Amino acid sequence: MSTAFRSATDLAEAIRAGEVSPVELVETYLDRIDDHNDELNAYVNVLKQRAREQAREAEQAVEARADRSSGESTDPRDGEDLGPLHGVPVAIKDLHMEIEGVPHTMGLAPLADNVAEESSLIVERLEEAGAIPLGTTNTPELGHTMQTYNELVGPTATPFDLDYNAGGSSGGSAAALAAGLAPLATGSDVGGSLRNPASCCHVVSVKPTFGLVPKDNRPDAFSSTTPVGVVGPMARTVDDLALMLSVLVGQDDSDPFSVVAPRDDYTDATDRDASEFDVAFTPDLDTFPVADTVASICRDAVDALAEAGATVSEVDVDGPDKGTLNYAYGTEATPLFAVMAGYLEAEYGIDVAGDDADDLSSSFVQTVGMGEGYDAVDYLGTNEVRTELYDAVEAVLDDHDALVMPTLSTPPLTHDEPYPSEIDGERAGGLPMDWGLTWPFNMTGHPVVAAPAGLTDDGLPVGLQIVGSRYAEDDLLGIAAALEDANPWAEDYPDA
């Protein structure tokens, strides 16, 4: 396997041992970005000079540590510990994850020249752990939809077939991982934005329990409650996902909802046998139309988990009907974007419904318009539906360690393909919510790990999601690692 596709865990160990040069590693990824980013649109901004400077500093720190160990240096600073991600490159989603001095567009063409004045908390934690940001990755405007495209740089493709979209809204991060343009990446999730692109690009991600990974959102620190919005890690291996999650968790006063993590190291969560787990499976959450090929691939993946020793049973999930859920989520989510549009106008003078509409995708403008049509009574009235759904999921988790199901109702869509209005003869609504099985868990707040399930006959990725009780990330990572062992995907990437 080429260096670009080595796991972040392996790279971090090799860097600390002096076996891999951070300078050479950064150049490897920058070369691949030069070769592949024009066709993928994974990165919006590439930080060549900044990354090279940080790589040189990282290499000097490794050399100084080696000098101290060999007795060639007596400077106590040369013995300082290196962070768990020392010298490891990372891609940063271009949405609410600012890097000081770097353009921060949030997918908005009118903000092409907007430069972040300070780094966000998640970037600070990664850099404190030694990670080196390579650049910022593409997202639809404010992460408003499940496909990655915007008027700034266009659509992002999945490396498995450039005619197909990488999914959204963390599509740039997922595509960068799958193409070997970074070993780690960040994402965010209000309706599936960590999980949908993971499915389209054959990578792993975790939507953590609300508050586990703090968010320093401003000007509204309370904006992520309805629906539940989180930030989280993305990677190619479950071990890497656990390593990155360990760096990101922990309470911070900038986030009024952040909590003290039940554990500060998740890396040992992946070293468990499949026989320890009791897993429930649903092909459709008893709600969604799902393509037969998707259900079959997910079922085969779960069967492989069972063959490895896990207890697996198919279950019913007795929650609200699809129409009720759709209305509730739309009532929660679209006002969020309407409020954010107001912030854009106040802070940057961007008129979403007026003069600037031509520089924005029509889907974003429509989402903002929909959100302006709801009132506070509508908004708060969705909590009863959320409660009913939460209770239905908890009823399954009372008897099982996790609930497993497909992530998307079909394989990836082409760049110009609408959301499905029909799936294998069954009527669908043609909305993003008809395509992803993800957003119900932004209503309930359950943590979810997304993982590859397999490939279609045409070589397109299909993913599944592993849902658990709050703060059960260790179980979810353990199940995902057992799945990776039973149904490995490391060799599936086009250039691996």
Side-chain angles (χ1 to χ4, degrees):
M1 183 172 292
S2 68
T3 298
F5 284 89
R6 286 182 67 177
S7 76
T9 302
D10 287 345
L11 290 172
E13 292 174 355
I15 288 169
R16 285 194 291 273
E19 298 167 358
V20 169
S21 158
V23 171
E24 293 177 3
L25 184 61
V26 163
E27 289 301 328
T28 294
Y29 286 112
L30 291 179
D31 286 345
R32 287 191 62 82
I33 292 169
D34 282 343
D35 291 341
H36 297 285
N37 195 57
D38 284 348
E39 62 187 13
L40 286 173
N41 269 339
Y43 284 92
V44 181
N45 290 287
V46 182
L47 311 180
K48 291 185 177 182
Q49 181 177 347
R50 189 180 191 276
R52 285 169 172 152
E53 290 173 356
Q54 288 183 311
R56 284 193 292 270
E57 293 172 0
E59 187 154 302
Q60 290 166 2
V62 173
E63 292 170 349
R65 185 169 177 257
D67 289 345
R68 177 69 178 176
S69 298
S70 64
E72 295 180 16
S73 171
T74 58
D75 187 338
R77 292 172 298 178
D78 294 343
E80 292 177 358
D81 289 338
L82 305 179
L85 296 178
H86 187 85
V88 178
V90 61
I92 305 295
K93 183 178 180 179
D94 190 20
L95 180 62
H96 306 316
M97 293 180 228
E98 299 93 333
I99 306 173
E100 182 180 357
V102 172
H104 180 60
T105 75
M106 297 179 277
L108 295 153
L111 291 184
D113 298 321
N114 176 56
V115 175
E117 296 181 357
E118 59 184 4
S119 293
S120 63
L121 177 62
I122 194 170
V123 171
E124 288 179 350
R125 287 192 171 182
L126 287 168
E127 291 193 316
E128 287 169 1
I132 300 174
L134 291 172
T136 57
T137 58
N138 200 23
T139 178
E141 293 98 335
L142 296 182
H144 75 281
T145 192
M146 294 183 183
Q147 298 273 65
T148 293
Y149 58 85
N150 55 50
E151 297 299 312
L152 180 63
V153 299
T156 296
T158 173
F160 286 82
D161 189 324
L162 298 180
D163 290 332
Y164 288 80
N165 199 270
S169 66
S170 308
S173 287
L177 290 168
L181 310 188
L184 297 171
T186 66
S188 56
D189 195 313
V190 176
S193 291
L194 277 158
R195 294 160 285 155
N196 298 328
S199 181
C200 290
C201 295
H202 217 53
V203 299
V204 293
S205 66
V206 56
K207 179 183 86 71
T209 301
F210 186 49
L212 191 64
V213 177
K215 297 174 64 180
D216 52 347
N217 284 352
R218 293 298 182 276
D220 184 359
F222 293 85
S223 62
S224 56
T225 56
T226 307
V228 170
V230 297
V231 295
M234 307 181 77
R236 285 188 298 269
T237 76
V238 182
D239 281 343
D240 289 356
L241 197 64
L243 174 62
M244 191 173 175
L245 181 64
S246 301
V247 168
L248 299 180
V249 299
Q251 191 271 340
D252 189 89
D253 289 343
S254 65
D255 183 349
F257 299 104
S258 65
V259 299
V260 176
R263 56 192 298 174
D264 57 9
D265 186 353
Y266 287 87
T267 56
D268 62 350
T270 62
D271 189 23
R272 298 167 66 183
D273 192 85
S275 62
E276 295 184 38
F277 300 110
D278 185 316
V279 174
F281 174 69
T282 172
D284 53 11
L285 203 60
D286 292 289
T287 300
F288 290 83
V290 173
D292 288 342
T293 184
V294 169
S296 176
I297 289 171
C298 289
R299 197 182 298 275
D300 287 346
V302 172
D303 286 346
L305 195 59
E307 290 173 8
T311 300
V312 176
S313 52
E314 191 159 333
V315 299
D316 296 324
V317 182
D318 189 20
D321 63 71
K322 181 70 161 41
T324 301
L325 286 175
N326 273 7
Y327 176 79
Y329 181 74
T331 305
E332 289 182 2
T334 57
L336 173 65
F337 294 103
V339 170
M340 293 170 75
Y343 162 72
L344 292 174
E345 184 167 10
E347 183 72 12
Y348 303 106
I350 297 174
D351 185 359
V352 171
D355 294 339
D356 294 302
D358 289 344
D359 294 326
L360 303 167
S361 64
S362 59
S363 61
F364 177 63
V365 175
Q366 290 167 3
T367 299
V368 170
M370 290 172 60
E372 292 172 342
Y374 294 108
D375 61 25
V377 175
D378 297 326
Y379 188 73
L380 292 175
T382 64
N383 284 338
E384 185 175 340
V385 178
R386 295 179 76 180
T387 302
E388 185 180 350
L389 178 61
Y390 175 82
D391 288 345
V393 176
E394 283 295 302
V396 174
L397 296 176
D398 281 345
D399 299 318
H400 305 277
D401 296 311
L403 174 63
V404 178
M405 74 197 71
T407 302
L408 298 171
S409 59
T410 75
L413 304 175
T414 59
H415 296 302
D416 56 357
E417 187 176 357
Y419 294 109
S421 57
E422 182 180 289
I423 298 172
D424 287 353
E426 187 173 353
R427 183 178 178 277
L431 298 172
M433 291 179 291
D434 296 292
W435 190 50
L437 285 73
T438 51
W439 50 270
F441 305 107
N442 295 87
M443 298 176 72
T444 65
H446 289 92
V448 188
V449 168
L455 302 175
T456 68
D457 291 341
D458 296 328
L460 292 175
V462 170
L464 54 74
Q465 49 183 342
I466 307 166
V467 182
S469 299
R470 295 190 182 196
Y471 307 109
E473 278 79 1
D474 51 351
D475 283 344
L476 303 185
L477 289 166
I479 294 168
L483 175 66
E484 185 176 15
D485 288 342
N487 188 39
W489 55 74
E491 303 295 331
D492 290 345
Y493 300 107
D495 283 349

